[in-house]
Amino acid sequence: ISRKRWIEIACATPARMFGLYPRKGTITPGADADIVLYDPNTTQVHSAATHHMAVDYSCYEGRETTGKVHTVLSRGRVVIEDGHYLGSAGHGRFLKRDTCQYLR
């Protein structure tokens, strides 16, 4: 699929479904965009040891996939880089949802 279609599927459509568009799902002035730098050619092996979650298991344990997130920026700050979490508690912000845009 094209890069434009991938962004529509992965970003804009979910934001519309959850009533958060255009606050999420687009990179425009005033939007609360999280930007992901993704390398579609890198392979990785999934493991609970490398996930940034409060669980000790992964249903994808040992599975090799192609494509990997390199860097994540949240509200202008780097929060993940080279597999390391650099964020801090309290950085997130609650966004009140609206109705799904497809149901209006």
Side-chain angles (χ1 to χ4, degrees):
I1 62 175
S2 70
R3 183 177 303 164
K4 183 177 180 180
R5 180 68 177 136
W6 186 71
I7 291 168
E8 182 66 28
I9 292 168
C11 306
T13 298
R16 287 184 178 100
M17 290 172 65
F18 290 102
L20 293 168
Y21 190 87
R23 294 174 292 158
K24 290 281 192 183
T26 183
I27 301 174
T28 56
D32 186 17
D34 298 330
I35 299 172
V36 176
L37 301 179
Y38 178 79
D39 182 349
N41 300 312
T42 299
T43 59
Q44 66 177 330
V45 177
H46 293 270
S47 171
T50 59
H51 287 178
H52 303 287
M53 301 183 300
V55 296
D56 60 355
Y57 65 92
S58 169
C59 62
Y60 301 105
E61 189 72 38
R63 180 177 286 184
E64 183 176 277
T65 57
T66 302
K68 183 177 181 179
V69 171
H70 181 272
T71 304
V72 176
L73 292 100
S74 173
R75 297 175 42 217
R77 287 183 44 203
V78 174
V79 293
I80 295 177
E81 187 163 38
D82 293 325
H84 300 286
Y85 178 70
L86 306 173
S88 60
H91 176 74
R93 186 172 63 186
F94 176 77
L95 294 178
K96 186 175 180 183
R97 292 177 37 177
D98 199 356
T99 306
C100 172
Q101 291 182 355
Y102 297 114
L103 299 176
R104 294 184 201 166

